[in-house]
C-alpha cells in the first residue's frame, strides 16, 4: 500500500510545504536537502533519484552520536550520485539527497519511527511497527548496522519532525514534481532509484546453496512497481557485461519504489542496487580504479531505458 503524500503534508508545517520548484532547464538547484541537476533538453522519459548518497553531516548530529564520522558513513550509498552524474547530459534529470540516510532516510515512510528512541510519546499517526523500525532502520535510524547504534541519548519527537520537514519533505516534493512533469511531457515516466549494497553472495538469504558474488539487484516490487520491459532491459545489459543479477532478492525496492511506481498509470519505478565492491573500497570509502567503467555502464542503462517506447510498457 502506498503512503499518501497529501496525508503526510498534514503533519508538516506550512513553512516547508511551499518551497520553490520553478527550475530552469540546464540549471543546478541546491538546497540544504537536495541537489537537482536538470538537462539542457529533457529528451528522455527518465528521472534519476539518489536518496542515500548524501554526506552532509550536521555537527550537532555527530556530537550526539556514539560513532565517529567514518563509521557513520558506512550506511551511505557513497558515490552513487557520481555513478549517474551524466544523466543530465544524456537528457534526464538527476535528484540527489545531500543529507545522509543515518540522519534521515528518504526511502522510508515519512513517519516510520522507533518509540524506544524518543524521550516523549509519539503521535498516533507515526508508524512504530514496521519491519524497518524493528531492525533499527526507520525514517530516523537507530543503527548503522545491527551492532552499531547511533545515538548517545534519546531524541525528542520535535527533533525528528524538524528533520523530516527540512530534509525529507523537500526531497519528495521535488521528486513528485519531476515524475509528474516527465509524465505530462512524454505520456509516461521511468524512474530509476539509485542505490548501492554491501558485498552480497548467492548464499545470502538462502538465494542459492552455491556461493558466488552478486553484482546487481533489481527491485521492482515483484512486478508491481514497473513494467517487466524496464527490468528486463536493465537486466539484459548487465548480464551482457558478465555481471550476476538478481531480481527482488533480497532488495525488492523500498518506499520510493513502492510509493511512486504505478505502472498502470504510466509511472514505472525500478530500484538498482550496485555492489560497492565493483566501484569502491568499503573500508576506506574511496573510489576504485574501475569506478569510471561502472559509471559508463550506468550511462548505457539510462540511454537504453530512455529508449523504451510507451507501447512496450505493457502492464
Amino acid at each position: 500500500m502506498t503512503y499518501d503524500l497529501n496525508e503526510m503534508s498534514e503533519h508538516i508545517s506550512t513553512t516547508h510545504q511551499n518551497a520553490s520548484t520553478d527550475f530552469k532547464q540546464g540549471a543546478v538547484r541546491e538546497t540544504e536537502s537536495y541537489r537537482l541537476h536538470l538537462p539542457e533538453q529533457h529528451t528522455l522519459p527518465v528521472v534519476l533519484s539518489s536518496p542515500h548518497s548524501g554526506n552532509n553531516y550536521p555537527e550537532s548530529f555527530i556530537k550526539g552520536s556514539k560513532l565517529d564520522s567514518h563509521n557513520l558513513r558506512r550506511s551511505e550509498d557513497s558515490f552513487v550520485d557520481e555513478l549517474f552524474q551524466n544523466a543530465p547530459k544524456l537528457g534526464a534529470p538527476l535528484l540527489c539527497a545531500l543529507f545522509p540516510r543515518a540522519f534521515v532516510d528518504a526511502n522510508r515512510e515519512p513517519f516510520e519511527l522507533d518509540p524506544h528512541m524518543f524521550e516523549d510519546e509519539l503521535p498516533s499517526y507515526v508508524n512504530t511497527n514496521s519491519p524497518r523500525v524493528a531492525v533499527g532502520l526507520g525514517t530516523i535510524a537507530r543503527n548503522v548496522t545491527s551492532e552499531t547504534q547511533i545515538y548517545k541519548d534519546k531524541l525528542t519527537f520535535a527533533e525528528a519532525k524538524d528533520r523530516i520537514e527540512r530534509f525529507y519533505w523537500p526531497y519528495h516534493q521535488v521528486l513528485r514534481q519531476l515524475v509528474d512533469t516527465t509524465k505530462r511531457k512524454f505520456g509516461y515516466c521511468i524512474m530509476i532509484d539509485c542505490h548501492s549494497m554491501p558485498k552480497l553472495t548467492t548464499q545470502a538469504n538462502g538465494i542459492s546453496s552455491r556461493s558466488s558474488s552478486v553484482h546487481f539487484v533489481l527491485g521492482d516490487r515483484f512486478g508491481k512497481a514497473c513494467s517487466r520491459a524496464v527490468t528486463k532491459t536493465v537486466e539484459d545489459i548487465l548480464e551482457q557485461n558478465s555481471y550476476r543479477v538478481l531480481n527482488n532478492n533480497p532488495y525488492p525496492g523500498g518506499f520510493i519504489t513502492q510509493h511512486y511506481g504505478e505502472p498502470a498509470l504510466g509511472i514505472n519505478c525500478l530500484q538498482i542496487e550496485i555492489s560497492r565492491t565493483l566501484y569502491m573500497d568499503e573500508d576506506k570509502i574511496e573510489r576504485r580504479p574501475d569506478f569510471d567503467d561502472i559509471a559508463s555502464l550506468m550511462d548505457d542503462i539510462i540511454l537504453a531505458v530512455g529508449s523504451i517506447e510507451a507501447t512496450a510498457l505493457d502492464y
Side-chain angles (χ1 to χ4, degrees):
M1 185 178 77
T2 59
Y3 195 101
D4 187 349
L5 285 184
N6 291 324
E7 180 182 346
M8 176 180 89
S9 70
E10 293 176 5
H11 307 302
I12 301 294
S13 74
T14 55
T15 303
H16 299 282
Q17 287 190 43
N18 300 313
S20 172
T21 51
D22 181 19
F23 303 122
K24 295 180 179 179
Q25 293 301 101
V28 177
R29 170 69 185 272
E30 185 170 315
T31 71
E32 65 177 351
S33 171
Y34 61 82
R35 181 183 297 115
L36 173 61
H37 302 259
L38 288 170
E40 291 286 349
Q41 297 293 328
H42 192 177
T43 57
L44 301 180
V46 180
V47 171
L48 287 296
S49 165
S50 181
H52 287 165
S53 54
N55 59 11
N56 290 351
Y57 289 84
E59 185 176 347
S60 59
F61 172 66
I62 295 176
K63 286 182 178 179
S65 174
K66 295 179 179 180
L67 308 175
D68 59 28
S69 57
H70 186 83
N71 282 306
L72 284 171
R73 292 198 65 189
R74 294 188 184 281
S75 69
E76 284 177 25
D77 288 347
S78 298
F79 314 121
V80 163
D81 54 337
E82 297 179 29
L83 290 175
F84 291 88
Q85 66 184 349
N86 284 334
K89 296 178 183 177
L90 301 174
L94 170 63
L95 179 65
C96 309
L98 297 181
F99 53 91
R101 69 181 300 191
F103 183 65
V104 59
D105 193 337
N107 200 27
R108 297 289 182 265
E109 293 177 19
F111 292 99
E112 199 169 354
L113 304 175
D114 182 351
H116 299 99
M117 293 175 59
F118 296 89
E119 62 184 39
D120 47 351
E121 187 174 349
L122 300 181
S124 60
Y125 57 80
V126 172
N127 181 353
T128 61
N129 297 309
S130 78
R132 280 76 55 191
V133 167
V135 295
L137 297 174
T139 316
I140 306 295
R142 182 178 69 240
N143 306 330
V144 168
T145 68
S146 58
E147 295 83 21
T148 54
Q149 293 195 4
I150 295 173
Y151 296 98
K152 296 175 183 176
D153 303 305
K154 290 191 174 184
L155 305 175
T156 65
F157 177 68
E159 292 177 85
K161 188 174 183 182
D162 181 66
R163 295 184 196 181
I164 293 165
E165 290 182 348
R166 292 175 55 194
F167 299 93
Y168 178 106
W169 172 250
Y171 187 88
H172 280 281
Q173 184 181 35
V174 174
L175 185 56
R176 180 82 265 173
Q177 188 201 38
L178 290 171
V179 169
D180 291 347
T181 299
T182 301
K183 185 186 173 185
R184 284 195 301 270
K185 180 177 177 65
F186 296 95
Y188 63 105
C189 174
I190 300 173
M191 186 209 294
I192 302 298
D193 201 39
C194 312
H195 295 264
S196 68
M197 62 184 182
K199 182 178 180 180
L200 178 68
T201 68
T202 52
Q203 283 185 324
N205 295 342
I207 295 169
S208 171
S209 59
R210 299 178 62 186
S211 180
S212 59
S213 295
V214 176
H215 303 115
F216 294 87
V217 176
L218 306 180
D220 60 13
R221 304 297 300 182
F222 302 96
K224 294 180 180 179
C226 75
S227 167
R228 175 62 186 162
V230 177
T231 307
K232 190 174 189 311
T233 294
V234 177
E235 184 178 18
D236 287 350
I237 290 173
L238 296 175
E239 290 183 343
Q240 288 164 11
N241 283 273
S242 301
Y243 290 110
R244 178 65 183 267
V245 184
L246 295 179
N247 290 320
N248 295 304
N249 189 0
Y251 305 113
F255 171 76
I256 288 175
T257 310
Q258 181 179 15
H259 175 75
Y260 289 91
E262 296 183 279
L265 300 180
I267 301 174
N268 295 266
C269 187
L270 178 68
Q271 177 177 288
I272 297 181
E273 295 274 0
I274 308 169
S275 178
R276 294 171 192 157
T277 59
L278 293 177
Y279 71 91
M280 66 175 284
D281 183 316
E282 288 191 76
D283 293 327
K284 296 180 181 178
I285 313 182
E286 295 177 352
R287 300 167 193 80
R288 289 191 184 278
D290 293 341
F291 185 92
D292 289 343
D293 293 336
I294 302 301
S296 178
L297 183 62
M298 295 307 103
D299 291 352
D300 293 342
I301 286 174
I302 293 168
L303 289 171
V305 167
S307 299
I308 298 174
E309 298 289 342
T311 54
L313 299 172
D314 52 340
Y315 190 81

